Amino acid sequence: MRLAFTESLRPGARLGKNIYNERGHILLCEGLPLTQKMINRLVSLNIPFVYLQDSRTDDIIPMPPASGKLRREVINTIETTFLDMKNKMNLAGSFTIEQANVKFIQIVRNIMGELKGIKS
């Protein structure tokens, strides 16, 4: 498997890993041969690079710095926290910010723990 810039992709290249949207849903599946339309869409979504299948590098398996579960948790927490802040700011601004701070501290701890190999 190898990493390739999205703008340098050619039709027929096969994805080495699934591509997910910001909500954690699969956009394109591993092993799928890319079409020009798919490549154009990836570029328009500002996806800078993808993993491709490559027989020369089959023995290389990239390890993500954080699990998919943690990424989804982080995205969900950030989105819900900012929506809560937006909706509650006029009522109790400082309390809402304190709550957000507690959530973000826990998320950062989870990220740091996973990067260090510590399960929380």
Side-chain angles (χ1 to χ4, degrees):
M1 189 174 327
R2 68 181 169 90
L3 195 60
F5 287 105
T6 307
E7 292 184 1
S8 69
L9 296 174
R10 299 286 178 247
R14 291 189 177 271
L15 286 176
K17 285 187 155 196
N18 292 338
I19 297 176
Y20 298 89
N21 67 9
E22 66 278 353
R23 299 246 184 233
H25 299 128
I26 295 176
L27 292 176
L28 298 173
C29 294
E30 175 182 337
L32 184 71
L34 295 171
T35 64
Q36 189 60 52
K37 185 175 179 179
M38 291 174 189
I39 295 167
N40 293 344
R41 183 72 174 140
L42 292 171
V43 170
S44 73
L45 290 171
N46 294 316
I47 296 174
F49 54 86
V50 298
Y51 286 99
L52 297 178
Q53 293 178 355
D54 186 340
S55 61
R56 297 172 293 176
T57 56
D58 279 345
D59 58 335
I60 298 173
I61 301 171
M63 299 301 291
S67 70
K69 179 183 175 191
L70 179 59
R71 277 192 226 121
R72 286 188 298 276
E73 178 186 338
V74 168
I75 290 167
N76 184 48
T77 299
I78 291 170
E79 285 178 347
T80 57
T81 301
F82 277 107
L83 284 174
D84 286 349
M85 288 175 69
K86 178 182 173 189
N87 294 331
K88 296 177 183 177
M89 189 57 90
N90 294 335
L91 303 175
S94 63
F95 179 69
T96 303
I97 291 171
E98 287 175 30
Q99 287 177 321
N101 190 38
V102 169
K103 289 179 184 178
F104 288 143
I105 287 171
Q106 185 58 47
I107 286 293
V108 170
R109 283 186 181 140
N110 291 348
I111 291 169
M112 294 303 295
E114 192 162 309
L115 291 175
K116 292 178 182 178
I118 303 167
K119 300 293 181 190
S120 57

